[in-house]
Amino acid sequence: MKVLKILGIIVLFILATIGGILIYVGSALPNVGPAPDIEIEPTSERIERGKHLANNVMVCMHCHTPQEKEKFAHPLNPDSLGAGGEHYGPEEGLPGHFYAPNITPAALGDWTDGEIYRAIAKGVNKDGEALFPLMPHPNYGKIEREDIYSIIAYLRTLDPLEKDTPKRDVFFPMNFILNTIPQKATHHMVRHTTNLVEWGRYLVVSASCADCHSPMENGAFIPGMEFAGGREFPMIDGSIVRTSNITPDEMTGIGSWSEEEFVQRFKSYEDTSFKFKTVSTGQFNTAMPWKNYAQMSEEELKAIYAYLRSVDAVENEVVRFTSVLE
């Protein structure tokens, strides 16, 4: 009986400890500080830079705009730019149901510039809630502060579109873990445009290439497999597309690609007059937003190529597409 009593006390202690941790995580976190008191001057240079970043590098607009998923590469509905509503859920391996919010002035009109900055760079919204890193705020907190300011200036110019999005449903235990993810921004990276590899690193972090092109296990990158591809994305017909290995491995990655071939792989989608047509059931499609990335400059693409050539080569043969008809 004495042993059972001791075991009971131990169990109660463990439960009390777990309960205390959950209360702390649920109430005291995230802790990234208040939204800064800033007012961003909407200069033409900032707006133009923000437009380029939001559409063609960080591709904020691709996730925050309804997509035409029956078409190749999921082009955007041009009449709903920034209106949100796209669903991301368990079918993509996510721990819950998430909906890209409306980021037009209709939704952000009562947000201060500081609140938008905190959401993008630190992962905490106007109401103090932690944002799931499907929007890769851990990456955005590394890049130059001025680039975040430019995006904010651009978002303020979007047409105000009235559209409500469903409330997210985060599964346990991620609903608690989520609060531990937001961190204070460091902005330690610098856009060295005179150093091709370092500029490429900056662009790759800004574009969060690793997030899609690295296989994951239990929500975390598999060590040693960064940029090795293989992450699965379901298509609306039930087919599966997997991201490419973009390490410099000669056989399974881009090690045999020339700089020109890499650049043209993107630029071949620059003329959109015939590329983005409806895809038949079971035929190849992709979630890669080629239409957006094709608008990057050749210099930016060359920098990305230079950086990717500098990362560790990983041999990983990827089966790019599995048709629902197979």
Side-chain angles (χ1 to χ4, degrees):
M1 293 295 292
K2 187 176 181 180
V3 172
L4 291 177
K5 186 176 180 180
I6 293 172
L7 287 175
I9 292 173
I10 292 172
V11 169
L12 287 174
F13 176 76
I14 292 172
L15 291 176
T17 301
I18 292 173
I21 292 172
L22 292 179
I23 291 172
Y24 172 77
V25 171
S27 59
L29 298 180
N31 182 19
V32 298
D37 183 14
I38 55 175
E39 187 171 336
I40 297 167
E41 184 182 358
T43 64
S44 58
E45 291 80 9
R46 271 184 174 151
I47 292 170
E48 193 61 30
R49 172 73 177 159
K51 180 180 180 180
H52 178 63
L53 289 170
N55 285 279
N56 309 129
V57 180
M58 296 158 72
V59 293
C60 316
M61 308 316 296
H62 185 75
C63 287
H64 287 275
T65 301
Q67 301 170 11
E68 299 177 348
K69 292 190 174 180
E70 73 283 358
K71 295 182 179 180
F72 182 75
H74 301 174
L76 307 182
N77 181 330
D79 298 323
S80 300
L81 195 65
E86 278 297 304
H87 170 260
Y88 302 90
E91 58 272 22
E92 283 100 5
L94 300 177
H97 297 276
F98 302 89
Y99 302 86
N102 184 339
I103 57 172
T104 74
L108 298 181
D110 62 345
W111 289 49
T112 67
D113 288 346
E115 287 169 340
I116 301 175
Y117 163 81
R118 184 176 65 170
I120 296 173
K122 301 181 182 182
V124 176
N125 70 11
K126 178 181 175 65
D127 299 321
E129 296 176 329
L131 300 176
F132 190 74
L134 184 63
M135 184 193 77
H137 50 81
N139 290 342
Y140 298 160
K142 298 174 184 176
I143 65 176
E144 291 183 355
R145 187 185 300 268
E146 180 58 34
D147 275 349
I148 306 299
Y149 287 180
S150 294
I151 287 176
I152 295 169
Y154 168 67
L155 292 181
R156 297 293 197 194
T157 71
L158 296 176
D159 290 336
L161 302 174
E162 297 287 348
K163 182 178 180 180
D164 294 328
T165 56
K167 187 175 177 61
R168 70 187 185 186
D169 176 21
V170 189
F171 299 159
F172 179 84
M174 179 52 70
N175 57 330
F176 286 97
I177 296 172
L178 183 56
N179 285 349
T180 70
I181 297 175
Q183 302 292 326
K184 293 181 179 180
T186 61
H187 299 298
H188 64 275
M189 298 190 73
V190 179
R191 186 162 53 105
H192 291 295
T193 57
T194 56
N195 182 317
L196 213 57
V197 171
E198 286 304 308
W199 186 18
R201 185 197 304 272
Y202 186 90
L203 289 164
V204 164
V205 171
S206 299
S208 302
C209 304
D211 288 32
C212 288
H213 284 274
S214 302
M216 303 184 78
E217 196 169 73
N218 298 321
F221 293 134
I222 299 173
M225 295 294 287
E226 291 82 1
F227 302 107
R231 188 168 180 186
E232 295 187 348
F233 288 85
M235 300 293 100
I236 58 171
D237 65 357
S239 299
I240 299 292
V241 68
R242 299 173 185 85
T243 53
S244 299
N245 182 341
I246 55 174
T247 75
D249 182 66
E250 290 282 342
M251 298 301 296
T252 64
I254 62 169
S256 63
W257 291 35
S258 68
E259 178 186 77
E260 181 181 2
E261 287 172 328
F262 183 84
V263 171
Q264 287 307 309
R265 182 73 173 92
F266 288 82
K267 286 300 183 181
S268 64
Y269 296 99
E270 197 166 21
D271 177 5
T272 62
S273 61
F274 66 95
K275 296 284 187 183
F276 302 94
K277 300 295 181 66
T278 299
V279 176
S280 300
T281 298
Q283 298 302 303
F284 179 79
N285 201 348
T286 179
M288 176 77 165
W290 287 113
K291 188 173 183 178
N292 299 75
Y293 289 141
Q295 306 304 317
M296 281 194 283
S297 69
E298 289 194 10
E299 290 73 21
E300 287 173 317
L301 292 169
K302 288 176 181 178
I304 291 173
Y305 174 80
Y307 172 67
L308 291 178
R309 296 285 296 193
S310 76
V311 305
D312 291 338
V314 181
E315 184 178 351
N316 185 39
E317 186 70 45
V318 175
V319 177
R320 287 295 315 285
F321 187 73
T322 302
S323 171
V324 70
L325 302 179
E326 293 180 10

